[in-house]
Amino acid sequence: MPEPAVRPEHPSPTPPPPRGPLNRLRGRRSRGLPESVRRLPARDRAAVVRAVRRCVPPADPALHEPTLALAERTREQARRYGWLYRWPPVVLVAIAAATLVASHDELPVGTAVILVGVAIVIPSSAVRRNARLQRLAATIRAEGGDAPTGPASTRRVRAPSPATAAMAAGIVVIASGLWLQWDARHHRRDWTIDGPHGAFPAAIAAQPPRDPGKMIATYPFDALTYRGLAIEATWNSASVTAHRVRPAATYWRLTRRDHRLVDADLDPATGRLLLVWAHLDSDTGDIEAPVEAMAVDVRTGRVRWTRTISTDWGTVDRGSTVIGRAALIPAGNLTVLDPATGRRRWRLHDRCGQAPAGTIGRTVILRRECPQTGLLLEGYDAATGRRLWSKNFASWWPGREHAPVLPVKVGALDRNRIVVWTLEREAVYDATTGARIGEHQQPVAADGKVLGAGENTVFDGETGYGPCWIHPPRDLRKGICATDPVSGRRLWSFRFPGADETTQLRSPMAVAGGRVYTLTSDHGGEIVDHVNINDARTGALLARVTPALPERPRLYGIHTVDGGALVLADDLVPSSAAYKTVLLGDG
């Protein structure tokens, strides 16, 4: 007979266990439970697990024994795998320390703080869990009569355990790190910008002045000039202001709440203003690490980027920061940043003193003084920080006791060259390879001898210009000489017309637009009496004017020639005065 299509139902006394990966996982977990817990129905087993997880006795007294067994097994597992609560925190603290050593930027610091918080929470949570399991077991035994009862066993309000306090502290530390990371990503700023007001001002003139006898503007601060702007960036100030020269007005002002300015530099080729800020101790005036570098677009007053720079030792000297093909900040260790983005390119990690001489092409030129080597002049690749060459000039000072540390002066020439000179020697090197192109002795006789120690010599193109002695047919007079720094050959000389005329004592010369500007004095170099303008190629006198200065008995020097104006500054002493900066233009 054929089999029926539908079989009669016969209830199975034990339904087959459900299949699937989740149920297999549950089976493995139940095999790790104590025998007294595995024998329980699923509902009671869940109640026991929940009681151990929460460290609260189950409501059913019949489940006390399985709960005790599971709590003891949990403690045993914690003891067996205790290394998981000891070594990972040590590794996390080591990683946090390495992160802090590598960078003091806000984002990495926030990551390091989070790691420290996690390293605190992991062991403290394990200790707290073990203590709660112990209290659970003690409570169950007390309710079962295994522990003495009486006033001592009554419930009391317990103070937080040290493990709980440590865990709470770790959570606070983690929250602090998360706040630092949020703050870094959302660029919370402590500065405000007022401006720019109106269109960008035009330069005073399209060409350098031909007859700079007229006073155009004066300022009671050391100004950085760019086209038609005079920028007020004063040390220890909370603001930086760009002033219009014509008409006199504020173009923009950047103000900070928690920082003070410690140094500034301007790249005239790009209009980038590099500002270095720091917290200053109001009592000692010391810089509080870290410092913060900021790049501002002079045309708009817009902050292009900011970068926090660690400075574990040392200070930022005024006038030591440089911006050009790279941004150089000697804050303890030298830090080199990309001038367009603020990204850190490289950093020197040693205890040698660094004084950046500037960037020439793709090379960073540094003066370095180390205890073992003395004074060095070195070239580094501006992009990678690889040292290209290193030179010591002790041989230039034969027989001198302190020859290894005696100073040299450095200037930039065209065609990727640098010139190094002292009062007695001069040499030209390739800025990339350090190869010597020419070297010669400076004139030691009266005719052509450099005035002073050569500190007033300036270079433009491939020519050096400086004050010198000139020996005409009858008497010795002072003047200026133009020389070829490679060979030392004199190209031309110009004798000052006045019998007692000499150059101003500090920064008397500048070259711009094919003209050589020289401040001269009939009063021993302390008062500017004349401005001589010579042709840079031939030395011919183009103009000789008496400048209209607001205060003649001041030690003015040439700061720059920019925006159609000759900029004079009395910045020898960092003090407040009514006429610290004077702009002279064509009359």
Side-chain angles (χ1 to χ4, degrees), residues 51-262:
V52 173
R53 185 183 299 119
R54 298 177 180 177
C55 295
V56 177
D60 187 357
L63 300 179
H64 282 186
E65 182 182 350
T67 302
L68 281 175
L70 183 57
E72 183 59 32
R73 181 172 180 80
T74 303
R75 293 179 60 197
E76 180 185 351
Q77 293 288 336
R79 286 192 296 270
R80 179 181 301 177
Y81 300 103
W83 60 270
L84 290 173
Y85 303 102
R86 290 192 295 269
W87 289 112
V90 174
V91 173
L92 290 177
V93 170
I95 294 174
T99 302
L100 289 176
V101 170
S103 175
H104 283 69
D105 294 342
E106 196 171 7
L107 195 60
V109 168
T111 302
V113 170
I114 292 174
L115 294 178
V116 171
V118 173
I120 296 173
V121 168
I122 290 175
S124 60
S125 63
V127 173
R128 180 174 179 270
R129 173 72 170 167
N130 185 64
R132 294 185 67 193
L133 290 173
Q134 287 180 334
R135 288 198 300 270
L136 172 64
T139 302
I140 292 176
R141 293 191 180 98
E143 291 179 356
D146 296 337
T149 59
S153 63
T154 58
R155 185 176 183 86
R156 298 177 181 177
V157 178
R158 293 181 295 104
S161 65
T164 302
M167 189 173 175
I171 293 173
V172 171
V173 172
I174 293 174
S176 301
L178 292 173
W179 164 252
L180 286 175
Q181 289 202 334
W182 182 91
D183 182 60
R185 287 192 172 95
H186 289 76
H187 300 288
R188 184 178 62 89
R189 60 189 191 185
D190 71 334
W191 69 81
T192 58
I193 299 176
D194 177 21
H197 301 289
F200 182 74
I204 298 170
Q207 299 293 329
R210 299 175 180 272
D211 185 21
K214 180 181 178 182
M215 184 176 66
I216 297 174
T218 63
Y219 299 98
F221 51 83
D222 298 326
L224 299 172
T225 56
Y226 180 76
R227 309 291 174 86
L229 292 177
I231 302 168
E232 180 182 359
T234 307
W235 181 83
N236 203 21
S237 173
S239 64
V240 175
T241 306
H243 300 268
R244 290 178 180 270
V245 177
R246 286 181 174 175
T250 298
Y251 182 54
W252 56 257
R253 175 180 287 113
L254 183 147
T255 306
R256 301 208 64 171
R257 182 176 64 251
D258 301 327
H259 291 75
R260 295 295 180 269
L261 188 68
V262 294

Side-chain angles (χ1 to χ4, degrees), residues 189-193 240 252 254-256 259 261 263-265 272-277 291-297 301-309 323 327 329 337 339 342:
R189 60 189 191 185
D190 71 334
W191 69 81
T192 58
I193 299 176
V240 175
W252 56 257
L254 183 147
T255 306
R256 301 208 64 171
H259 291 75
L261 188 68
D263 202 13
D265 189 43
R272 295 190 185 108
L273 177 64
L274 176 63
L275 305 173
V276 181
W277 304 87
V291 300
E292 184 180 87
M294 172 187 289
V296 178
D297 186 343
R302 179 183 175 186
V303 176
R304 292 297 184 182
W305 52 260
T306 61
R307 172 67 62 178
T308 302
I309 299 172
I323 186 169
I329 299 116
L337 308 177

Side-chain angles (χ1 to χ4, degrees), residues 443-454:
V444 294
D447 187 35
K449 183 178 180 180
V450 178
L451 287 174

